Amino acid sequence: MPTALIADDEPLLAAALQSALARLWPQLAVIAVAHDGAIALAEINRLRPDFAFLDIRMPGLDGMAVARSVAGCRVVFVTAYDEYALQAFDAAAMDYLLKPIDDPRLLRCISRLQQLASTVAMPAPAPAEAQPEYLNWITAGLGNSKRLIAASEVLYFKACDKYTELVLATETQLIRTPLKELAARLNPREFAQIHRGLLVRLSAVQSIEQDMLGRNFVLLKDREDKLPLSRSYAAQFKSM
């Protein structure tokens, strides 16, 4: 069964679209409804829906930014503004629906998505040179206090008990994703493990320092933190 997410900062419009989809495409399961871009992106990454119906103008993160930050999810933009159409298709959108949406127009969109769903359901050989998709955005914070942080803003990640600490230039945030999982999802050209419990962004490194006991430490450009560099990870920094 195909799945979808709806993102619109106007709850009534999101509910109206969900109702119309239920009438016109009852086989589609709407598994989440979000009312801002950051939550939409987090839910897409968590639930992996087949399709996302995204409003463009949303607080926090607009629909364009959400579309460019996800992979494996086909996007339909649903908006009251027609000036974003060119950008939408540059972002590989499947369709561009203008509000208010009438049934005939939505049916044409559904027909296109159904054709795609039947195509992607058939197994296809993987490309010989498939490129890995790395993590670019991280939803940080606990409880109701959440925010979206670009991976490029993080100076280093530190394992701490049941959480992982994200250390930025002027603050820290917590996430539940284990450090080992983060290490596998971050671009190895941008991040490197320097200790069993530490991952550092390479462009944030200022220098490597060795103390009188022969222990190595990583010094950062934007913070005074002195991070231990384990011998098993030191080889990658020999040229610094």
Side-chain angles (χ1 to χ4, degrees):
M1 176 182 289
T3 57
L5 170 142
I6 295 172
D8 196 313
D9 62 342
E10 297 185 49
L12 290 178
L13 294 180
L17 177 57
Q18 185 173 6
S19 176
L21 287 170
R23 282 189 295 103
L24 301 176
W25 192 3
Q27 298 82 9
L28 180 70
V30 176
I31 55 176
V33 177
H35 299 304
D36 70 61
I39 292 175
L41 179 55
E43 289 296 89
I44 291 171
N45 287 331
R46 183 175 71 89
L47 299 171
R48 306 289 183 186
D50 299 306
F51 306 104
F53 293 80
L54 303 179
D55 191 10
I56 290 181
R57 293 189 179 179
M58 292 187 290
L61 196 68
D62 66 32
M64 291 291 179
V66 174
R68 293 190 175 102
S69 300
V70 298
C73 177
R74 304 291 181 165
V75 170
V76 174
F77 286 111
V78 184
T79 179
Y81 308 94
D82 61 2
E83 65 263 35
Y84 297 103
L86 205 54
Q87 291 174 259
F89 291 108
D90 282 344
M94 293 302 303
D95 211 335
Y96 190 93
L97 303 178
L98 285 175
K99 301 174 184 177
I101 308 166
D102 57 34
D103 283 1
R105 180 64 184 91
L106 185 55
L107 277 169
R108 291 199 299 274
C109 174
I110 289 171
S111 176
R112 180 179 301 177
L113 299 183
Q114 286 174 329
Q115 290 176 6
L116 178 68
S118 64
T119 301
V120 298
M122 299 174 61
E129 297 293 332
Q131 296 296 315
E133 295 168 353
Y134 296 115
L135 189 65
N136 293 315
W137 295 90
I138 302 162
T139 304
L142 302 175
N144 295 324
S145 178
K146 293 184 182 293
R147 57 173 287 199
L148 201 66
I149 296 173
S152 58
E153 292 182 41
V154 181
L155 303 182
Y156 66 93
F157 298 89
K158 179 181 179 182
C160 83
D161 296 328
K162 297 180 181 179
Y163 304 101
T164 298
E165 188 176 12
L166 279 65
V167 180
L168 287 71
T170 59
E171 63 177 309
T172 61
Q173 292 284 338
L174 292 177
I175 60 174
R176 294 184 182 274
T177 308
L179 193 73
K180 184 177 180 180
E181 182 179 331
L182 281 170
R185 298 181 63 193
L186 292 166
N187 190 335
R189 294 185 178 182
E190 298 176 9
F191 291 87
Q193 192 144 11
I194 61 170
H195 186 274
R196 184 176 60 182
L198 290 167
L199 274 169
V200 69
R201 178 161 55 83
L202 294 172
S203 60
V205 175
Q206 176 175 290
S207 61
I208 307 300
E209 177 185 275
Q210 190 173 75
D211 67 9
M212 296 180 64
L213 298 176
R215 297 175 301 186
N216 293 313
F217 295 89
V218 173
L219 304 184
L220 304 176
K221 297 173 184 175
D222 297 322
R223 285 181 71 105
E224 296 181 358
D225 306 44
K226 190 185 255 189
L227 308 178
L229 173 59
S230 299
R231 290 184 180 180
S232 55
Y233 297 108
Q236 61 194 319
F237 293 98
K238 282 185 177 179
S239 60
M240 296 189 71

